[in-house]
Amino acid sequence: MSGLLEGRKALVTGASRGIGRAVAAQLAQEGADLALLATKADLLEAVAEELRGLGRKVITLPVDLANGPAVAEAVEKAKAELGGLDIVVNNAGITADQLLLRQKEEDWVRVLDVNLTGAFRVTKAACRHVMKSKHGRVITITSVVGLTGNAGQAAYAASKAGLVGFTKSLAQELASRGVTVNAIAPGFIDTDMTAALTPEQQAAITQKIPMGRMASPLDIAHAAVFLASDRAAYITGEVLRVDGGLAM
Ligand code: NAP
């Protein structure tokens, strides 16, 4: 049986763990070949090895998204080795949570540099390849806090709100080329990022979620597969909340 993304070529950032890993696995499951990016080569290679077991071509490109020239080089390598690029998933992200009065400027700059400028670097380098695809897709993982704000997360929320503006602007630039550009706004997902919260903090958050649970990375991966597929060909500039109703 052929998958929804048979023969497509996808690049996923932050693919070594959490949401990015689940997105990569679901894209592979649906028939896509993959270029996986993150900083830690060993974790990336372990994910790649697992996904090659599905019969897909999977390459790993260890790179820090803060390093512009290295990102451009990695994207070119992805395109050359996969033979094109149809789908880009901007997923990698970091936090440096702190009340604004205590936030160090270096932490603010690092969060914006990796989360927002990192997505710019990847997308700019990948764009001209994706524009040649008949099924071009740019999918960016933002967050509900980019829509609502969150005390203690000014830097992170600003980076995620920036990605919403980035998504809607690029959607307008690329619509006439048939490339859709969308964002997914997860609520609270069970990954390393949220494992840093205390059980009390996790319980307080869960209480605010109408569906009464955190999401699994798979919940986000299913949304990414949908947006990457032909079934979402007429959806662009959208921010799809996958949050159990948290930010409705
Ligand atoms: P995670 O488990 O902490 O994984 C983050 C991923 O990003 C890792 O693969 C990491 O790889 C990569 N990464 C971090 N810094 C990088 C850099 N400078 N260059 C390249 N790769 C880098 O995070 P997650 O929870 O899966 O989150 C994934 C995305 O969803 C993020 O954008 C996050 O903001 C967003 N999100 C998460 C939640 C949540 O509740 N978890 C909610 C809303 C939105 P290395 O460790 O190898 O660098």
Side-chain angles (χ1 to χ4, degrees), residues 197-209 212-214:
L197 299 169
T198 65
E200 292 73 29
Q201 286 170 320
Q202 293 198 15
I205 289 164
T206 306
Q207 211 183 15
K208 290 187 195 152
I209 302 171
R213 66 168 177 92
M214 286 170 98

Side-chain angles (χ1 to χ4, degrees), residues 72-119:
E73 199 179 307
V75 171
E76 285 315 302
K77 205 166 171 198
K79 183 257 169 186
E81 293 200 18
L82 297 181
L85 276 179
D86 304 288
I87 302 161
V88 173
V89 182
N90 290 308
N91 162 78
I94 56 169
T95 54
D97 296 346
Q98 190 56 271
L99 295 173
L100 189 73
L101 287 176
R102 292 193 197 138
Q103 181 103 63
K104 292 192 188 120
E105 184 169 331
E106 68 207 58
D107 289 339
W108 169 278
V109 168
R110 175 77 184 163
V111 169
L112 271 288
D113 196 23
V114 172
N115 295 6
L116 182 57
T117 313

Side-chain angles (χ1 to χ4, degrees), residues 49-70:
E49 204 42 46
E50 189 183 313
L51 301 186
R52 286 179 195 125
L54 297 170
R56 307 267 69 90
K57 177 163 188 171
V58 186
I59 63 165
T60 58
L61 298 162
V63 68
D64 183 344
L65 293 191
N67 182 341

Side-chain angles (χ1 to χ4, degrees), residues 136-139 171 175 178-183 223 226-240:
R137 300 282 187 270
V138 178
I139 300 166
V179 177
T180 71
V181 185
N182 293 292
F226 168 65
L227 289 174
S229 76
D230 290 344
R231 294 176 181 177
Y234 201 57
I235 298 174
T236 198
E238 183 59 84
V239 181
L240 177 59

Side-chain angles (χ1 to χ4, degrees), residues 14-19 38-40 63-65 91-94 110 114 141-143 156 160 186-189 191-194:
S16 58
R17 297 184 274 122
I19 293 170
T39 62
K40 298 188 189 82
V63 68
D64 183 344
L65 293 191
N91 162 78
I94 56 169
R110 175 77 184 163
V114 172
I141 309 299
T142 175
S143 165
Y156 180 73
K160 294 299 182 178
F188 285 90
I189 320 300
T191 68
D192 293 346
M193 192 176 266
T194 44

